[in-house]
Amino acid sequence: MALAPAVLPAPAPIGALTVGVTDAGLALIAFGADRDAAQRAASRLGEPLLADPAACAAATAAARAQLGEYLAGERRCFDLPLDWRLTSGAPQRVLRALWETVPYGATVTYGELAACGGLGRGHTAARGVGAIMGSNPLPVVVPCHRVLAADGIGGFGGGLRTKEWLLALEGVLTGTLPMPW
């Protein structure tokens, strides 16, 4: 088994996505052209990083195609097998709850996802979900951009402009967000 990396061009403000696929499925999505993220993921998985460009292209074709369709507004649901091995325990439980319960065009608050993912209720649980979203190895496909703060948009590992763009793509945001000042 190996991790096959590829870089997918993406519209601004995203620019590019790095994907990594194993025999088990899509294991990594990183913002930007980030071969180092693919190497770190391969190391964590205990697998070599595939270097053959033709083999990488073949292994990542479905992931690149589905992400490209989504970013072009032509796909609402991913049907890729996912390799969840870069998460475990409570983070995996919360990410799976997000994957299974928050569809395209819908949102959930950090607190609601904490309760759904078995972390409990309250400020501490919601903050825990924030940390889990920040460590999500499969952003966009496991849609952490759909997780919002109770009083606003919240943060995002790909940057606030990227989160806003993804939410606008899905019809959640229809105009510009009010500025905090």
Side-chain angles (χ1 to χ4, degrees):
M1 222 194 259
L3 180 81
V7 174
L8 170 72
I14 299 170
L17 293 172
T18 298
V19 298
V21 175
T22 67
D23 289 344
L26 180 64
L28 172 74
I29 299 173
F31 289 98
D34 192 351
R35 186 162 175 88
D36 289 342
Q39 182 61 61
R40 286 189 304 274
S43 293
R44 285 183 55 206
L45 293 168
E47 298 186 10
L49 190 64
L50 192 60
D52 177 25
C56 288
T60 61
R64 289 182 294 113
Q66 288 193 26
L67 280 161
E69 291 164 2
Y70 169 81
L71 294 170
E74 299 166 356
R75 174 176 287 276
R76 293 177 168 227
C77 183
F78 294 96
D79 59 8
L80 300 165
L82 301 181
D83 183 340
W84 292 95
R85 292 180 297 149
L86 290 174
T87 65
S88 62
Q92 187 178 109
R93 193 171 60 247
V94 169
L95 289 170
R96 283 182 181 264
L98 172 62
W99 165 253
E100 294 167 0
T101 65
V102 185
Y104 183 97
T107 61
V108 64
T109 67
Y110 293 103
E112 291 166 340
L113 186 56
C116 180
L119 295 184
R121 300 187 186 283
H123 179 73
T124 302
R127 289 182 62 84
V129 166
I132 291 167
M133 295 303 105
S135 67
N136 180 2
L138 296 167
V140 181
V141 172
V142 177
C144 52
H145 60 279
R146 297 179 191 154
V147 184
L148 307 177
D151 61 353
I153 197 164
F156 189 62
L160 189 56
R161 288 188 57 218
T162 296
K163 184 171 187 171
E164 291 171 343
W165 189 90
L166 292 168
L167 291 170
L169 174 71
E170 294 187 12
V172 173
L173 297 180
T174 56
T176 59
L177 293 176
M179 293 293 122
W181 53 85

